[in-house]
Amino acid sequence: MRARNSLARRLSRLVILGFAAIWLLALVATAVVLRHEQQELADKIIQETARIYLPAMVIDYNGAQATGATIPIELGRETSFDLIGASEPGGTDLVYRLLDRSGTAVMISSGARETVFPAPGAAGFTTTASHTFYTTRPNGDGFQMQVGDLRQERSDAYLESLTALVIPMIAILPLAYLTVAWIGQRALLPLERLRGEIEVRNDARLDPIDAGGHPAELRAITATLNGFMIRLSQALDGERAFATNAAHELRTPVAVALAQVQRLRAEIGDDDNSRLASVEEALKRMSRLVGRLLQLARAEAGIGVSQETHDLGKLFEAVLRDSQTDPDRRNRLRIKRPERPVCAKLDPDAFAMIAGNLIDNAFQHAPPDTPVEVELSRAGVLRVTNDGPVLSPAELELLPRRFQRSKTRTDGFGLGLYIADKIARHSGGRLVLRSPPVGKTRGFESCFIAPTDQPDDLDGAGESKAQGAR
């Protein structure tokens, strides 16, 4: 379905408006020409009628005069001139009379005594209030013939002809609009294909678009767009390479420094080692940051989709084992496992990073000693719920951004939810955040809906989709 302000609709509307304007001008011109031609034809008919019947009427007049007929002689339906007279009693289409040399009417058509004829005079056309007349030139004996037809009859005939012309032309307009709309839609198909090619591009796919088969105008646009995507891809690759290399370079020295500090604390014992404890905590935090940076680099590289199908239930157990190594987390976890395999074409590392970040996020923001609920449903929906204050819709919209943190004081980096959402979108799934969870008055819930063939069982449609990190 085309949008209300689509280019195809705009093109169709402008073309049909132009067509309608031309159609209207053509109709006006046709009406003028039709009027002129019908008047000319009617004039020709009365002119030829007068010329043809003048000699015959003179002969009939002379014969009637020899019998002593009353002057003027009225020609009725019984005469040989009935073809010229009215076809119905009481009205005439053509009226006529014969004039002698003195201009006296010596013969007149039946029912025409009340008709106002033009005064005898020069030959040619004359118009009265009701008729248009033609007067012949005098013949050798000085006789003239006047023939006229009703002007109203001419107007009625013109209106009938014009109506017969206009009605089919009006019926053409809807057909013309549909035809123009179809042509416009077909003509803009290359633009729609180009839009589809652009739509599938993202930060993980910036390969050039094939301009072959496109019109010349779109080839120029495609070339410009390809140049932009190449520059953008180079910039993103450079950023990802820097983050990956920096994280890899930092990982080893941080791990070595942490090991040395822990060994030093063990050798010194418990006497006055608070400063070493602070150094150890700082190194642990740096180690987590390095890990997050490595995950971020992989997320922005497009990790997510897998060509093979994997059981998310088994991956779920592996992630939980990592979380349960911490005694505090093990005691607070409330786990709901699927009864059957949950199959999806999702990269195992991608799912592990999503689940791990959601669980870490819950533990960071949940009040101490409160449970964290983790559930994987048969439909492939991973829910992680924790206690806490209710967040407003505006706060939920801000949470999923890079380096965005909630108002609670934690040692997080603002990357966990961003990484989870990035991977979710690359995999074809989605991340949904809401507060409070369904059926509760407080708390926070993050849901990852994996791209499976099963319908998701996520309640509360219309929740905010994640777009960044918490």
Side-chain angles (χ1 to χ4, degrees):
M1 184 177 179
R2 287 177 295 171
R4 185 180 297 273
N5 59 345
S6 68
L7 184 59
R9 186 180 294 274
R10 177 181 173 84
L11 178 63
S12 301
R13 185 169 58 249
L14 292 177
V15 170
I16 199 62
L17 286 176
F19 177 83
I22 295 174
W23 174 88
L24 185 60
L25 291 176
L27 182 61
V28 172
T30 302
V32 172
V33 172
L34 178 63
R35 179 72 172 178
H36 174 75
E37 292 297 327
Q38 282 198 338
Q39 291 286 352
E40 188 175 308
L41 177 62
D43 290 345
K44 191 70 174 177
I45 289 175
I46 62 174
Q47 182 181 12
E48 292 299 319
T49 300
R51 288 177 179 176
I52 292 173
Y53 286 101
L54 174 60
M57 290 186 69
V58 170
I59 294 173
D60 279 4
Y61 168 70
N62 290 331
Q65 191 178 32
T67 61
T70 303
I71 303 299
I73 301 170
E74 184 172 341
L75 302 177
R77 295 177 60 83
E78 71 282 357
T79 70
S80 60
F81 300 98
D82 187 51
L83 289 174
I84 304 176
S87 59
E88 294 292 340
T92 57
D93 290 337
L94 292 178
V95 293
Y96 41 86
R97 68 179 181 174
L98 182 64
L99 305 177
D100 62 9
R101 189 183 301 274
S102 65
T104 302
V106 294
M107 297 187 77
I108 190 168
S109 61
S110 176
R113 288 184 179 273
E114 303 299 327
T115 302
V116 179
F117 283 85
F125 291 97
T126 307
T127 301
T128 66
S130 58
H131 288 73
T132 298
F133 288 93
Y134 178 76
T135 304
T136 64
R137 295 178 181 277
N139 65 0
D141 297 326
F143 288 99
Q144 288 182 290
M145 183 74 178
Q146 289 183 330
V147 179
D149 63 350
L150 283 168
R151 295 174 61 186
Q152 184 62 41
E153 292 293 336
R154 290 191 178 195
S155 298
D156 292 344
Y158 169 71
L159 290 177
E160 290 177 3
S161 301
L162 186 63
T163 302
L165 173 68
V166 169
I167 290 177
M169 292 185 69
I170 291 177
I172 289 175
L173 285 177
L175 179 61
Y177 176 77
L178 295 176
T179 303
V180 169
W182 181 81
I183 292 174
Q185 189 174 9
R186 296 287 298 176
L188 293 176
L189 280 180
L191 189 61
E192 181 65 21
R193 289 197 296 268
L194 178 60
R195 187 202 64 79
E197 289 287 342
I198 296 174
E199 187 178 22
V200 299
R201 264 60 180 182
N202 51 43
D203 54 358
R205 182 187 174 186
L206 292 172
D207 53 296
I209 298 173
D210 184 12
H214 287 305
E217 295 82 1
L218 291 187
R219 286 200 297 270
I221 294 175
T222 303
T224 302
L225 183 62
N226 285 338
F228 170 75
M229 288 195 299
I230 289 174
R231 294 191 297 272
L232 180 61
S233 178
Q234 291 173 347
L236 290 176
D237 289 343
E239 181 182 350
R240 292 166 184 163
F242 173 78
T244 303
N245 294 335
H248 277 293
E249 291 297 328
L250 288 172
R251 197 171 195 176
T252 300
V254 168
V256 171
L258 179 59
Q260 293 295 333
V261 169
Q262 290 174 340
R263 182 177 178 181
L264 184 59
R265 285 189 62 190
E267 292 176 354
I268 294 177
D270 295 334
D271 298 334
D272 193 20
N273 59 1
S274 59
R275 287 181 293 178
L276 287 177
S278 299
V279 173
E280 181 182 4
E281 188 62 31
L283 290 174
K284 286 182 179 180
R285 177 177 170 80
M286 185 177 292
S287 179
R288 291 197 303 272
L289 176 59
V290 170
R292 286 287 188 272
L293 290 176
L294 287 173
Q295 289 184 356
L296 177 62
R298 296 193 66 187
E300 294 189 335
I303 187 174
V305 180
S306 173
Q307 298 299 325
E308 299 179 358
T309 301
H310 299 276
D311 182 6
L312 300 186
K314 295 180 179 179
L315 301 176
F316 182 63
E317 293 296 336
V319 174
L320 291 177
R321 283 196 297 270
D322 291 341
S323 296
Q324 289 172 334
T325 56
D326 186 333
D328 178 63
R329 290 192 175 189
R330 182 172 60 250
N331 296 331
R332 296 169 60 187
L333 278 174
R334 303 293 183 268
I335 303 170
K336 293 183 181 180
R337 298 174 172 85
E339 298 177 356
R340 297 181 182 179
V342 180
C343 297
K345 290 187 176 181
L346 185 65
D347 186 88
D349 289 343
F351 180 77
M353 282 191 283
I354 292 174
N357 278 294
L358 296 186
I359 294 174
D360 287 346
N361 181 80
F363 276 108
Q364 287 175 6
H365 296 86
D369 300 325
T370 58
V372 172
E373 300 175 5
V374 182
E375 175 188 3
L376 178 64
S377 70
R378 289 178 54 190
V381 179
L382 175 65
R383 284 188 178 89
V384 181
T385 307
N386 62 273
D387 190 21
V390 175
L391 303 179
S392 66
E395 289 175 310
L396 286 177
E397 289 294 332
L398 293 176
L399 282 180
R401 297 182 180 178
R402 185 189 294 195
F403 300 117
Q404 183 69 39
R405 303 182 187 182
S406 67
K407 296 180 179 179
T408 57
R409 295 183 178 181
T410 67
D411 60 350
F413 307 106
L415 290 173
L417 292 183
Y418 174 80
I419 294 172
D421 173 62
K422 196 81 169 177
I423 299 174
R425 287 188 285 111
H426 286 321
S427 68
R430 59 192 176 104
L431 186 66
V432 177
L433 309 179
R434 54 189 175 189
S435 178
V438 175
K440 297 186 178 181
T441 58
R442 56 180 280 119
F444 176 81
E445 181 179 73
S446 55
C447 300
F448 167 60
I449 306 172
T452 64
D453 295 333
Q454 299 292 330
D456 67 68
D457 59 353
L458 182 64
D459 297 324
E463 299 291 341
S464 173
K465 290 184 181 180
Q467 301 296 331
R470 185 180 186 211

